[in-house]
C-alpha cells in the first residue's frame, strides 16, 4: 500500500488497483498518444469539448482507414449484411470496434471490463463457421457492448461499488448474455454506471465519471451512461442497457441516440449483478437496446424475442410472448401530445423540439391530441416511484460497507426527493414497511387506471412527449426523471428518438415549486435533443413500428 501514499483510504487503493489492472489490458498501440492529449483542454469534464466534431477518433491514429470506415460508415443492418455475405470478416469488424472502444474509453471513462482477447478469438471461430457455409445466428459476428450489471463469466460486475471489488469474477453469464452468444453476437466490453445505479450521472469511485462526447462538461446520462458515451463515439454499433426509471432512455437523450425500453420481462433480465433486498421487487426494470439508428432497436428485439429456443427457456422469469408480426402501421395515427407540466417545465430547446416534432407529424397527416396535464398525473407518479425506491436502502448499505464516499449527484437527487414531500401519499412516513408497500401498490393501481381511461377516452395509438424537461445538463445536476420513470411505474414500452440540437436561448432559473435543473444557455447550446414515443403495456412491437414512422417524419430518408 505504500506506493499509494501513507494514509490512502482502502477504498481508494482498491479502486486504483482495479483501474491499473484495466489499463494494463489495453494494447500499447491502442493508447492515445500524449501529443493528442496536449491539444485538449484538461480536465475534459470542466471544459466544453465536442469530441465528435473534433473527429478525435481519427486523430488518435489508432484505427486504420479500413477500421475507421467499418465503424464510421455502417449501420447495424449493413454490418450484418456484410458479415453474412463475406464482405466483412467477423475478425475485421470486431478488431475495428475493439480499437474504437479502447479510444472512446480513454476519452470518456465509458468502459469497465474489456474482453478483447476472447472477442477476437470468438470472431475467428465465427469466420470459420461462415467459410463452412454456416451462420451462428441472426447476429452473426456483430460486436455488442453490455452494461456492467450484466454478468459475463470470467469478468467482474462491480456496478461501481468498491465493496464488490472483493468478489471473484462471475462464474456464469446473465441469461441475456447466453442468448446473445447463441444468436451469434461478439461481446467485447462492459460499460460504466453510476454508484448505486440510481442517478443520471454515470460516475463511481472505481472507474470515474463518464463524459458526454458532444460536450464533456455535460452528463452522458445514467445509469447506462457508459453505453451512451461509447455508442455516441461509435465505439459500439449496438449496446444493451437496463431501465428502471429511464436508464436506457436518459443516456439516449443525453448522447443523441435511439433507445428502447421494452415492457418488463419481455427481454430476459435474470442473473444480473444487483444489490437490492432479495424478493423486494417494487418497480420492474427492463433490458433493452441503445444504438445510432432505429432499425438496430428492432433487429435486437426481433432477434431475442423471435429466437429458438425462445427466451422463456433461457430465463424462467420472462414472459413467454414471442415476437409478434403486426403488419403495416395504419397511415393516419392518433398521437396523444403530453403537454408541459408546470411542476416539470421544459427547457427552451426541449419545448421547441417537441413543438417541431408535433408540427411535422401533423404535416404528414397524423392527428395530434393534446392531453391535459391534470389527466396525466406526472407529479403523482413521480412521488409514488421514489417512495417505492425508498423502501430499500441496500445501495447505501453497500456504499457504507466499502467505506467509500457517495458521489455528488446522489445528494442532488436526495434533496429533490425530499422536496417532493407527500402530497399524494400523505402519512407515509409513519407507516410500517408492509403497509407502505400496500399503499404504494394501491396508488400505482390508481395511476394505471387513470392512463387506461385516458387511452380509451382519446382513442390513442401512441403518445409523444419529451424524455425529460431538459437535454443533458452539467455534471451532477440532472436530478429527477418525471417523463421517464412514470412509464416504468405503469410498465409501458417507450422509445427515444434523437431530433435536432439545442439552439441558443436565454438562461432560465428554476422556481421553488419546480423540479428541473437550471437552463444555462451557453453551456447547453449544441446538446442533442430528442422526443419519446410510448404505447400501452406489452405493445412493444407496436411501439417500435410507430416509432419508426415517427422517425421517418422527423428525418425523412436521412439519419440524424
Amino acid at each position: 500500500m505504500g506506493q499509494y501514499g501513507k494514509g490512502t483510504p482502502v477504498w481508494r487503493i482498491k479502486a486504483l488497483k482495479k483501474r491499473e489492472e484495466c489499463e494494463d489490458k489495453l494494447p500499447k498501440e491502442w493508447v492515445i498518444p500524449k501529443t493528442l492529449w496536449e491539444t485538449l483542454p484538461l480536465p475534459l469534464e470542466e471544459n466544453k469539448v465536442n469530441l465528435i466534431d473534433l473527429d478525435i477518433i481519427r486523430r488518435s491514429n489508432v484505427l486504420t482507414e479500413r477500421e475507421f470506415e467499418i465503424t464510421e460508415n455502417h449501420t447495424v443492418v449493413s454490418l450484418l449484411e456484410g458479415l453474412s455475405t463475406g464482405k466483412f470478416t467477423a475478425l475485421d469488424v470486431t478488431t475495428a470496434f475493439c480499437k474504437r472502444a479502447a479510444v472512446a474509453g480513454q476519452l470518456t471513462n465509458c468502459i469497465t471490463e474489456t474482453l478483447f482477447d476472447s472477442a477476437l478469438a470468438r470472431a475467428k471461430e465465427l469466420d470459420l463457421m461462415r467459410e463452412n457455409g454456416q451462420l451462428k445466428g441472426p447476429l452473426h459476428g456483430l460486436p455488442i457492448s453490455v452494461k456492467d450489471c450484466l454478468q459475463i463469466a470470467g469478468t467482474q460486475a462491480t456496478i461501481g461499488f468498491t465493496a464488490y471489488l472483493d468478489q471473484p469474477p462471475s462464474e456464469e453469464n446473465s441469461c441475456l448474455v447466453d442468448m446473445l452468444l447463441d444468436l451469434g453476437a461478439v461481446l467485447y466490453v462492459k460499460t460504466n454506471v453510476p454508484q448505486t445505479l440510481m442517478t443520471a450521472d454515470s460516475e463511481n469511485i472505481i472507474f470515474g465519471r463518464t463524459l458526454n462526447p458532444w460536450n464533456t462538461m455535460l452528463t452522458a446520462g445514467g445509469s447506462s451512461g457508459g453505453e451512451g458515451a461509447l455508442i455516441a463515439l461509435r465505439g459500439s454499433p449496438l449496446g444493451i442497457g437496463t431501465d428502471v426509471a429511464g436508464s436506457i432512455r436518459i443516456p439516449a437523450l443525453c448522447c443523441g441516440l435511439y433507445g428502447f425500453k421494452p415492457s418488463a420481462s419481455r427481454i430476459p433480465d435474470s442473473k444480473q449483478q444487483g444489490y437490492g433486498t432479495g424478493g423486494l421487487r417494487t418497480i420492474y426494470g427492463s433490458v433493452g437496446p441503445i444504438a445510432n439508428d432505429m432499425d438496430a432497436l428492432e433487429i435486437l428485439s426481433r432477434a431475442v424475442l423471435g429466437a429458438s429456443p425462445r427466451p422463456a427457456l433461457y430465463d424462467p422469469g420472462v414472459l413467454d410472448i414471442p415476437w409478434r408480426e403486426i403488419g403495416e402501421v395504419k397511415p393516419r395515427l392518433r398521437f396523444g401530445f403530453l403537454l408541459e407540466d408546470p411542476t416539470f417545465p421544459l427547457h427552451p430547446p426541449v419545448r421547441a423540439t417537441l413543438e417541431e416534432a408535433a408540427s411535422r407529424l401533423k404535416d404528414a397527416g397524423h392527428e395530434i391530441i393534446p392531453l391535459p396535464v391534470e389527466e396525466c398525473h406526472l407529479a403523482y407518479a413521480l412521488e409514488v416511484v421514489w417512495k417505492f425506491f425508498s423502501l430499500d436502502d441496500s445501495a447505501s448499505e453497500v456504499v457504507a460497507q466499502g467505506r467509500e464516499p457517495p458521489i455528488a449527484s446522489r445528494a442532488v437527487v436526495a434533496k429533490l426527493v425530499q422536496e417532493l414531500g407527500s402530497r399524494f401519499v400523505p402519512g407515509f412516513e409513519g407507516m410500517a414497511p408492509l403497509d407502505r408497500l400496500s399503499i404504494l401498490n394501491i396508488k400505482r393501481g390508481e395511476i394505471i387506471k387513470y392512463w387506461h381511461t385516458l387511452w380509451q377516452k382519446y382513442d390513442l395509438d401512441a403518445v409523444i412527449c419529451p424524455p425529460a424537461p431538459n437535454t443533458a445538463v452539467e455534471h451532477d445536476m440532472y436530478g429527477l426523471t418525471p417523463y421517464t420513470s412514470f412509464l416504468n411505474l405503469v410498465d409501458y414500452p417507450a422509445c427515444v428518438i434523437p431530433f435536432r440540437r439545442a439552439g441558443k436561448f436565454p438562461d432560465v432559473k428554476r422556481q421553488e415549486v419546480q423540479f428541473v435543473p437550471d437552463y444555462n444557455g451557453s453551456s447547453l447550446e449544441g446538446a442533442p435533443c430528442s422526443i419519446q414515443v410510448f404505447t400501452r403495456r406489452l405493445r412493444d412491437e407496436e411501439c417500435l413500428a410507430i416509432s419508426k414512422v415517427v422517425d421517418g417524419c422527423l428525418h425523412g430518408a436521412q439519419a440524424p
Side-chain angles (χ1 to χ4, degrees):
M1 292 189 183
Q3 63 176 310
Y4 298 103
K6 186 176 180 180
T8 303
V10 172
W11 57 265
R12 184 176 294 280
I13 293 172
K14 287 182 177 180
L16 289 171
K17 283 184 175 179
K18 178 64 176 180
R19 285 202 204 185
E20 290 168 2
E21 174 190 313
C22 293
E23 289 170 2
D24 288 344
K25 291 181 180 179
L26 198 65
K28 289 183 172 54
E29 61 271 22
W30 296 2
V31 174
I32 295 175
K34 182 180 178 182
T35 51
L36 180 57
W37 285 112
E38 290 172 347
T39 68
L40 300 172
L42 302 176
L44 287 176
E45 67 183 76
E46 296 177 11
N47 291 277
K48 187 175 182 178
V49 180
N50 187 324
L51 299 173
I52 295 172
D53 284 355
L54 284 176
D55 203 11
I56 204 76
I57 303 292
R58 184 184 291 278
R59 291 172 55 202
S60 71
N61 292 320
V62 171
L63 279 70
T64 66
E65 193 60 37
R66 166 74 165 165
E67 290 162 349
F68 190 85
E69 193 272 337
I70 288 172
T71 56
E72 188 81 7
N73 298 332
H74 289 278
T75 64
V76 168
V77 169
S78 62
L79 285 172
L80 287 172
E81 287 176 351
L83 286 161
S84 66
T85 61
K87 177 182 177 182
F88 304 129
T89 66
L91 182 60
D92 284 347
V93 173
T94 300
T95 301
F97 279 102
C98 284
K99 292 170 76 170
R100 191 159 183 135
V103 177
Q106 294 170 74
L107 289 164
T108 65
N109 292 330
C110 59
I111 303 296
T112 56
E113 305 289 332
T114 57
L115 302 89
F116 296 144
D117 290 343
S118 61
L120 296 172
R122 175 171 170 81
K124 292 177 183 177
E125 294 173 1
L126 292 172
D127 285 334
L128 186 59
M129 282 188 68
R130 201 203 65 78
E131 289 171 11
N132 292 327
Q134 293 180 297
L135 294 179
K136 178 70 173 173
L139 303 178
H140 180 97
L142 183 71
I144 293 182
S145 53
V146 299
K147 187 175 181 178
D148 192 66
C149 55
L150 291 174
Q151 303 269 19
I152 298 179
T155 69
Q156 285 189 305
T158 60
I159 57 175
F161 291 123
T162 57
Y164 283 5
L165 286 171
D166 296 328
Q167 295 182 353
S170 307
E171 294 184 355
E172 60 180 353
N173 295 328
S174 293
C175 293
L176 180 59
V177 167
D178 280 333
M179 281 205 77
L180 293 173
L181 292 173
D182 287 345
L183 291 167
V186 178
L187 305 184
Y188 64 114
V189 289
K190 298 179 70 179
T191 53
N192 206 17
V193 298
Q195 179 194 68
T196 75
L197 301 178
M198 289 303 294
T199 86
D201 285 271
S202 291
E203 179 194 16
N204 59 70
I205 300 300
I206 304 172
F207 300 104
R209 185 192 296 282
T210 299
L211 307 181
N212 191 320
W214 291 100
N215 178 349
T216 53
M217 283 181 63
L218 307 183
T219 178
S223 61
S224 310
E227 285 297 327
L230 178 65
I231 296 166
L233 281 171
R234 303 190 73 87
S236 170
L238 180 62
I240 304 296
T242 66
D243 191 315
V244 75
S247 292
I248 288 171
R249 293 160 289 158
I250 292 168
L253 79 92
C254 287
C255 296
L257 305 170
Y258 293 83
F260 178 55
K261 180 204 85 70
S263 301
S265 300
R266 284 293 312 266
I267 291 179
D269 64 353
S270 295
K271 298 183 183 178
Q272 290 185 53
Q273 175 71 286
Y275 56 77
T277 300
L280 183 61
R281 297 189 69 181
T282 53
I283 296 178
Y284 286 77
S286 299
V287 179
I290 308 174
N292 275 299
D293 65 277
M294 174 63 72
D295 287 338
L297 306 184
E298 182 177 331
I299 286 170
L300 186 283
S301 302
R302 181 188 291 267
V304 171
L305 296 177
S308 178
R310 60 189 189 273
L313 298 181
Y314 287 86
D315 184 350
V318 81
L319 295 172
D320 198 0
I321 304 174
W323 177 266
R324 295 180 295 110
E325 296 294 344
I326 60 171
E328 292 293 323
V329 175
K330 65 186 185 182
R332 184 177 172 87
L333 294 164
R334 286 176 60 85
F335 288 99
F337 186 67
L338 205 159
L339 298 176
E340 182 174 15
D341 190 314
T343 311
F344 314 108
L346 306 183
H347 280 185
V350 176
R351 186 181 302 111
T353 297
L354 197 61
E355 290 172 353
E356 176 65 18
S359 175
R360 293 197 184 191
L361 289 168
K362 282 183 183 178
D363 290 345
H366 303 293
E367 294 183 78
I368 301 294
I369 297 92
L371 302 179
V373 172
E374 62 273 12
E375 295 185 34
C376 296
H377 302 285
L378 285 187
Y380 186 173
L382 186 67
E383 184 181 323
V384 173
V385 165
W386 279 98
K387 280 185 163 50
F388 265 125
F389 290 152
S390 73
L391 295 176
D392 191 351
D393 200 33
S394 300
S396 295
E397 291 173 5
V398 177
V399 173
Q401 178 187 339
R403 298 186 177 182
E404 62 181 91
I407 58 172
S409 59
R410 289 182 59 206
V412 172
V413 170
K415 181 177 184 296
L416 290 171
V417 170
Q418 187 175 27
E419 289 177 11
L420 277 177
S422 296
R423 292 180 293 167
F424 304 106
V425 192
F428 182 83
E429 295 304 324
M431 293 181 184
L434 283 179
D435 291 333
R436 294 186 188 188
L437 179 60
S438 176
I439 288 294
L440 290 175
N441 278 320
I442 291 170
K443 295 298 183 182
R444 171 167 38 199
E446 291 176 358
I447 296 168
I448 289 172
K449 289 178 182 177
Y450 290 147
W451 272 91
H452 176 78
T453 299
L454 190 148
W455 288 104
Q456 307 282 85
K457 178 179 178 180
Y458 297 103
D459 189 24
L460 304 175
D461 295 302
V463 177
I464 59 171
C465 70
N470 45 271
T471 61
V473 291
E474 296 89 346
H475 299 300
D476 305 323
M477 293 294 106
Y478 192 99
L480 303 182
T481 56
Y483 292 93
T484 51
S485 58
F486 91 94
L487 295 171
N488 297 88
L489 185 70
V490 298
D491 193 20
Y492 289 166
C495 187
V496 164
I497 301 171
F499 180 49
R500 300 175 24 138
R501 301 268 293 279
K504 181 73 170 176
F505 293 91
D507 292 354
V508 180
K509 298 293 183 182
R510 83 174 181 104
Q511 303 300 308
E512 189 173 342
V513 295
Q514 298 172 347
F515 295 89
V516 296
D518 290 341
Y519 174 72
N520 301 311
S522 59
S523 298
L524 305 187
E525 185 179 7
C529 299
S530 56
I531 68 162
Q532 183 172 216
V533 180
F534 63 89
T535 54
R536 300 180 75 165
R537 184 171 183 262
L538 298 179
R539 296 300 178 192
D540 300 71
E541 291 85 351
E542 286 85 350
C543 186
L544 285 167
I546 292 172
S547 296
K548 193 169 184 177
V549 171
V550 173
D551 188 47
C553 290
L554 301 186
H555 300 119
Q558 297 294 320

